[in-house]
């Protein structure tokens, strides 16, 4: 039984690391540039119900949540970001967490939450970084 528990624990750890990108540089260009070390990153895992941010992307880019769930956006990237909804329907669906609607600029180490009480598919983006987009499906 202890062997099964150990294998299950290793599997969960491996899936967690793989789902949040693990290594590589934060730009996604593969450029390396010396890197290594540095702070932030939170150990390389993105908690359930959370969109984590790299320097230029949301991780994961899509996530599904249940109606009534609280969803978190967490910035551990070392650069500032924001979250702006793609349309008025999505903005209205982003109900009170630590605020409502769009999420203003927030620095590394900060996070924001929103509660979603209406089913739908909601697109969002960072206006600071072109091409930084994500989709939340609430069902």
């Amino acid at each position: 039984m202890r062997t099964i528990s150990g294998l299950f624990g290793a599997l969960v750890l491996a899936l967690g690391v793989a789902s949040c990108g693990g290594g590589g540089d934060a730009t996604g260009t593969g450029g390396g540039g010396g890197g290594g070390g540095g702070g932030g990153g939170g150990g390389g895992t993105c908690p359930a119900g959370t969109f984590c941010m790299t320097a230029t992307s949301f991780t994961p880019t899509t996530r599904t949540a249940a109606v009534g769930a609280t969803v978190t956006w967490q910035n551990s990237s070392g650069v500032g970001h924001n979250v702006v909804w793609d349309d008025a329907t999505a903005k209205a669906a982003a109900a009170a967490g630590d605020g409502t609607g769009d999420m203003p600029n927030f620095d590394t180490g900060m996070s924001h939450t929103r509660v979603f009480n209406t089913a739908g598919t909601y697109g969002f983006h960072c206006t600071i970084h072109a091409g930084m987009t994500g989709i939340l499906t609430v069902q």
Side-chain angles (χ1 to χ4, degrees), residues 76-136:
S76 299
S77 69
V79 297
H81 292 290
N82 62 20
V83 174
V84 176
W85 298 100
D86 291 350
D87 56 47
T89 301
K91 186 173 182 175
D98 64 355
T100 60
D102 294 338
M103 291 166 250
N105 295 349
F106 51 101
D107 292 324
T108 192
M110 295 179 71
S111 63
H112 288 289
T113 61
R114 297 293 184 266
V115 175
F116 294 85
N117 294 316
T118 305
T121 300
Y122 307 116
F124 57 90
H125 60 280
C126 175
T127 62
I128 301 168
H129 302 99
M132 186 171 173
T133 62
I135 297 173
L136 173 65

Side-chain angles (χ1 to χ4, degrees), residues 16-109:
V17 170
S19 70
C20 285
D25 71 354
T27 65
T29 62
T45 59
C46 189
T50 301
F51 284 98
C52 294
M53 299 174 191
T54 69
T56 58
S57 66
F58 294 102
T59 302
T61 56
T62 62
R63 186 169 286 287
T64 301
V67 169
T70 298
V71 179
T72 302
W73 282 259
Q74 177 180 311
N75 183 4
S76 299
S77 69
V79 297
H81 292 290
N82 62 20
V83 174
V84 176
W85 298 100
D86 291 350
D87 56 47
T89 301
K91 186 173 182 175
D98 64 355
T100 60
D102 294 338
M103 291 166 250
N105 295 349
F106 51 101
D107 292 324
T108 192

